[in-house]
Amino acid sequence: MKNLDINKYILDIDVMDKHHKDFIEIFINLDFKNDETLMKDINSIILQTITHFSDEEELMEKYLYPRVTEHKEEHDKILYELKYFYNKANNPFGKKLLKSFCKERLPQWFEDHIISMDSDLAQVIKNKKME
Ligand SMILES: [Fe+2]
Ligand SMILES: [Fe+2]
């Protein structure tokens, strides 16, 4: 499983850094051996992610971010997957799929997304602030 370290993902845009920190905080404490707390914590990740994405999308509007369509599509896609696997986890096979999604795909997506799209958004915001 991927080791997420917040210090690797600082973008110097407070609201974004805060959401990324909050995500990592919940994520690194997931207990894959306890199904009950796991479902509760993944539900918290879903709720946290909804706010995280909507705050970023607000920044996109505010700073007239040019790649808003692509960026929003990436958000929608991972949130759809996350909810999909969460909702299918009402039997042992579904739980297995959810766990492997959370161990592999989700942290990898998180890292790739920050390095590519979120850092691009952060750069646009910084440039606009300097104008
Ligand atoms: Fe983000
Ligand atoms: Fe994003």
Side-chain angles (χ1 to χ4, degrees), residues 11 16 19-20 52-53 56 71 75 109-110 113-114 118:
L11 299 171
M16 294 175 82
H19 282 309
H20 297 155
H52 164 193
F53 289 173
E56 277 185 13
H71 199 142
H75 285 173
W109 181 91
F110 182 85
H113 184 79
I114 293 186
D118 284 353

Side-chain angles (χ1 to χ4, degrees), residues 41-131:
D41 292 342
I42 294 176
N43 188 49
S44 303
I45 287 188
I46 294 174
L47 299 175
Q48 196 275 328
T49 300
I50 291 171
T51 324
H52 164 193
F53 289 173
S54 84
D55 282 352
E56 277 185 13
E57 288 165 16
E58 226 170 82
L59 288 173
M60 293 179 207
E61 307 290 334
K62 184 173 171 197
Y63 290 94
L64 306 173
Y65 179 61
R67 285 165 288 284
V68 56
T69 311
E70 295 90 327
H71 199 142
K72 273 190 185 172
E73 269 172 19
E74 283 291 304
H75 285 173
D76 292 346
K77 208 163 67 184
I78 198 74
L79 196 54
Y80 174 84
E81 289 177 25
L82 185 55
K83 287 178 180 166
Y84 176 86
F85 287 112
Y86 180 81
N87 290 327
K88 295 274 175 202
N90 47 16
N91 60 65
F93 182 67
K95 280 214 172 62
K96 221 171 136 177
L97 291 180
L98 175 67
K99 285 177 191 177
S100 92
F101 172 80
C102 287
K103 285 180 182 171
E104 309 298 333
R105 164 109 171 112
L106 186 60
Q108 190 59 59
W109 181 91
F110 182 85
E111 176 170 276
D112 293 344
H113 184 79
I114 293 186
I115 291 171
S116 58
M117 297 209 156
D118 284 353
S119 67
D120 181 57
L121 171 61
Q123 197 50 57
V124 168
I125 294 172
K126 283 178 212 167
N127 292 344
K128 290 254 162 80
K129 277 182 175 168
M130 285 199 302
E131 274 171 12

